[in-house]
C-alpha cells in the first residue's frame, strides 16, 4: 500500500487518484483559497477526496465511505472522524473547489479520427437535459419546488441538469444545473462557450429555437437539430439529395439564418413485428449536400442518444436511482460537481485504455465495470501513486474493462417506456412503445412534406 503520509493518507480515490492527483487537488485548493491555515486531522485535500468518494459509494453513509477509504490501510494510525466532523468539513471547503476540479477535468478526450467521435472531420457533441430528485426539505423546496396539480403537490423536488457530451466517448465538456422551472434552453445557453469550429452539435426538438441556432453558429460550430412540428420552413431552393434550403428567424433574429432542411419518413420494425412510422425533420447549418449527404445526417442524428447514455451512467449506475443526499443548497451544488468529477475521471481512464487498442470503439467499454473496479481500488488503496517506472495507460481499471468488452456489433434497440414513478414524463404505455426492450430495423426515405410535419403522438 502506497498512499500519502500522515493525516493525508485517507485522501485518495484509488487508481483514479492518478487522474485526480494530489498536485491537482492542492492547486485547486490553493487557487480557491480553501486550503487549511493550520494542519488539521481532516485536511482540505482529504475532505475533497472524501466528497468525491461519496459519489462512488452512493449506497454508503458518511462513516461507511470513510471506512472504504481506510479499509486497506491497516497498521496506520488514522483518525476515525465523527459524522458531524465530516459534515462540517464538507461545509468548510464549499462548492468552489469541486466546481474547479470538474471544470479542469471536463473536455473532449477523443483523439483525432477516433471511431464514433468524428464525422467527416467534425467532432460530434450532443446536448440534452435530465431531472434529478432532491431531498424534500424546506431548505431545498423553496428553490427546487415539487410538481403540483390542482389540489396537491407530489413527488420529490426536481433539479434540472443539462450537459454537453462528446459523442463516442461520452466525456462531459460542460454542465449547468438549477431549478426545473428554467427550461433546457436556458441552461444549454450557458454551455456554448466550449463549442468551437471543429464541432458539430446534435440536439433534439427541445432545442429547436431560432436564437439558440444563431448562438451556436456564432461560436463557429455547426449544428444538427430536430425540428418541432410548429416550425413551417419555406423552401428557398431544393438540393439534389432531397433536402432543401430555408431561412429562419423572421421577426426574431436581426439577420435571417440560412439552414438546410432534411425531411424523411422513418419506418421502424420491431422484433415482434410491430411497425411504427414517424416523420422527421432535421435542421442543419451544413449547407453542402455533396459533402454532407442527407442520408448520413439522418443516421448521425441517432448519436444524440450518447447524452442519454451519459445520464443513465450517472443516474442508474452511480446514483442507482437514489435521491441526492445533500440537504442544503450549497451541499447540492457540491454534490452535483462531485458526481460529475469521478464520472469524467472514469471516462478519461477509459480513453487512456482505448488508446492501447487501435480502432477500439469506446462504446464497447462497460461503465459499470469501470465504476465497480475503480471502487475496488479505493477499498484496497491500490494504484494511488503512479508506478516508479514508465507510465502505464492500462492499470487495474483498464485491464478489467478490456477483459469485459461489449460485443463489436451494435444492435439497434428500442427502450421500453412506462411510468415507474409519480414524476415520470412517460404516461402509461398505450401501445406506442413496447413493454420490454427490443431489437429493431429502421428504414428511412428522404422526402419533402408538402403538407407540413405531423405532430408526434403524446399518448
Amino acid at each position: 500500500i502506497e498512499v500519502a503520509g500522515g493525516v493525508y493518507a485517507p485522501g485518495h480515490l484509488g487508481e483514479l487518484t492518478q487522474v485526480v492527483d494530489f498536485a491537482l487537488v492542492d492547486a485547486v485548493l490553493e487557487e480557491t483559497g480553501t486550503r487549511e491555515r493550520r494542519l488539521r486531522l481532516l485536511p482540505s485535500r482529504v475532505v475533497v477526496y472524501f466528497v468525491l468518494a461519496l459519489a462512488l459509494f452512493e449506497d454508503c453513509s458518511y462513516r461507511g465511505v470513510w471506512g472504504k477509504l481506510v479499509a486497506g490501510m491497516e497498521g496506520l494510525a488514522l483518525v476515525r472522524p465523527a459524522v458531524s466532523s465530516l459534515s462540517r468539513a464538507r461545509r468548510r471547503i464549499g462548492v468552489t473547489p469541486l466546481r474547479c476540479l470538474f471544470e479542469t477535468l471536463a473536455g473532449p478526450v477523443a483523439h483525432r479520427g477516433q471511431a464514433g467521435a468524428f464525422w467527416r472531420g467534425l467532432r460530434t457533441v450532443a446536448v440534452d437535459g435530465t431531472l434529478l430528485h432532491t431531498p424534500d426539505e424546506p431548505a431545498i423546496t423553496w428553490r427546487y419546488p415539487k410538481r403540483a396539480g390542482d389540489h396537491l403537490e407530489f413527488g420529490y423536488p426536481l433539479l434540472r441538469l443539462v450537459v454537453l457530451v462528446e459523442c463516442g466517448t461520452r466525456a462531459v465538456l460542460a454542465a449547468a444545473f438549477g431549478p426545473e422551472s428554467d427550461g433546457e434552453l436556458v441552461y444549454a445557453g450557458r454551455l456554448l462557450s466550449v463549442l468551437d469550429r471543429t464541432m458539430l452539435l446534435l440536439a433534439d426538438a427541445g432545442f429547436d429555437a431560432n436564437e439558440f441556432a444563431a448562438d451556436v453558429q456564432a461560436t463557429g460550430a455547426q449544428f444538427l437539430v430536430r425540428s418541432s412540428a410548429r416550425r413551417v420552413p419555406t423552401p428557398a431552393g431544393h438540393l439534389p439529395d432531397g433536402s432543401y434550403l430555408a431561412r429562419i428567424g423572421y421577426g426574431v433574429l436581426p439577420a435571417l439564418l440560412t439552414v438546410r432542411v432534411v425531411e424523411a419518413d422513418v419506418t421502424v420494425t420491431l422484433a415482434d413485428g410491430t411497425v411504427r412510422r414517424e416523420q422527421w425533420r432535421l435542421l442543419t447549418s451544413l449547407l453542402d449536400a455533396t459533402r454532407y449527404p442527407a442520408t448520413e445526417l439522418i443516421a448521425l442524428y441517432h448519436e444524440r442518444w450518447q447524452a442519454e447514455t451519459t445520464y443513465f451512467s450517472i443516474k442508474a449506475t452511480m446514483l442507482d436511482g437514489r435521491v441526492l443526499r445533500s440537504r442544503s443548497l450549497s451541499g447540492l451544488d457540491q454534490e452535483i460537481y462531485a458526481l460529475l468529477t469521478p464520472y469524467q475521471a472514469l471516462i478519461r481512464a477509459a480513453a487512456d485504455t482505448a488508446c492501447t487498442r487501435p480502432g477500439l470503439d469506446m462504446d464497447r467499454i462497460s461503465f459499470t465495470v469501470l465504476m465497480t473496479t475503480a471502487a475496488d481500488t479505493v477499498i484496497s488503496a491500490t494504484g494511488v501513486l503512479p508506478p516508479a517506472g514508465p507510465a502505464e495507460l492500462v492499470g487495474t481499471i483498464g485491464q478489467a474493462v478490456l477483459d469485459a468488452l461489449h460485443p463489436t456489433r451494435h444492435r439497434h434497440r428500442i427502450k421500453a417506456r412506462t411510468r415507474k414513478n409519480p414524476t415520470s414524463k412517460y404516461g402509461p404505455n398505450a401501445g406506442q412503445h413496447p413493454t420490454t426492450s427490443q431489437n429493431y430495423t429502421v428504414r428511412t426515405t428522404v422526402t419533402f412534406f408538402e403538407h407540413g410535419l405531423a405532430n408526434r403522438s403524446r399518448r
Side-chain angles (χ1 to χ4, degrees), residues 2 6 19-21 31 46 63 132 142 155 174 176 217 261 280 322 334 339 349 369 400 455 458:
E2 294 184 4
V19 180
V20 191
D21 59 33
E31 180 182 337
V46 174
R63 291 290 290 271
L132 300 176
W142 72 267
Q217 194 165 60
V261 184
W280 282 21
R322 291 180 173 82
Q334 185 191 69
L339 271 172
V369 174
N455 283 307
R458 295 297 182 184

Side-chain angles (χ1 to χ4, degrees), residues 218 314 430:
I314 294 172

Side-chain angles (χ1 to χ4, degrees), residues 71-265:
M73 303 179 190
E74 293 183 6
L76 297 181
L78 301 174
V79 296
R80 186 174 174 80
V83 173
S84 59
S85 298
L86 293 170
S87 182
R88 286 194 301 270
R90 273 193 67 186
R91 291 196 298 270
R92 187 180 78 235
I93 65 169
V95 179
T96 310
L98 277 300
R99 184 181 68 244
C100 289
L101 263 183
F102 165 69
E103 291 173 350
T104 301
L105 291 176
V109 300
H111 56 79
R112 176 63 61 177
Q114 182 169 325
F118 289 85
W119 178 77
R120 293 187 173 264
L122 294 170
R123 187 187 301 272
T124 53
V125 299
V127 65
D128 207 351
T130 192
L131 296 172
L132 300 176
H133 291 131
T134 68
D136 189 356
E137 299 283 344
I140 301 292
T141 53
W142 72 267
R143 178 166 173 77
Y144 298 104
K146 295 190 288 184
R147 288 181 174 175
D150 294 334
H151 304 291
L152 75 162
E153 295 179 327
F154 56 90
Y156 284 98
L158 296 173
L159 177 148
R160 189 183 298 280
L161 172 66
V162 176
V163 300
L164 186 68
V165 303
E166 178 183 49
C167 298
T169 66
R170 299 187 294 280
V172 176
L173 279 65
F177 57 89
E180 181 201 12
S181 55
D182 291 336
E184 291 179 340
L185 277 171
V186 173
Y187 298 109
R190 303 175 189 173
L191 310 180
L192 299 185
S193 61
V194 303
L195 296 178
D196 60 44
R197 59 191 303 273
T198 68
M199 297 179 180
L200 170 61
L201 177 68
L202 312 179
D204 66 16
F207 299 88
D208 176 25
N210 296 319
E211 300 93 332
F212 183 74
D215 290 343
V216 172
Q217 194 165 60
T219 68
Q222 307 294 336
F223 62 81
L224 177 64
V225 179
R226 186 168 180 176
S227 169
S228 65
R230 295 190 303 272
R231 187 183 292 280
V232 186
T234 301
H238 289 270
L239 301 174
D241 63 350
S243 61
Y244 62 90
L245 300 179
R247 303 174 76 189
I248 63 174
Y250 289 94
V252 177
L253 300 178
L256 295 181
L257 192 65
T258 300
V259 298
R260 180 165 154 231
V261 184
V262 179
E263 297 179 343
D265 281 314

Side-chain angles (χ1 to χ4, degrees), residues 133 147 154-156 158 321 418-426:
H133 291 131
R147 288 181 174 175
F154 56 90
Y156 284 98
L158 296 173
T418 57
R419 175 173 291 182
K420 296 181 180 178
N421 63 62
T423 59
S424 173
K425 62 182 177 180
Y426 301 123

Side-chain angles (χ1 to χ4, degrees), residues 53 110 136 138 166 168 172 207 210 272 295 357 365 393 436:
D136 189 356
E166 178 183 49
V172 176
F207 299 88
N210 296 319
D272 63 4
T295 53
R357 292 274 188 94
I365 292 179
L393 290 179
T436 58

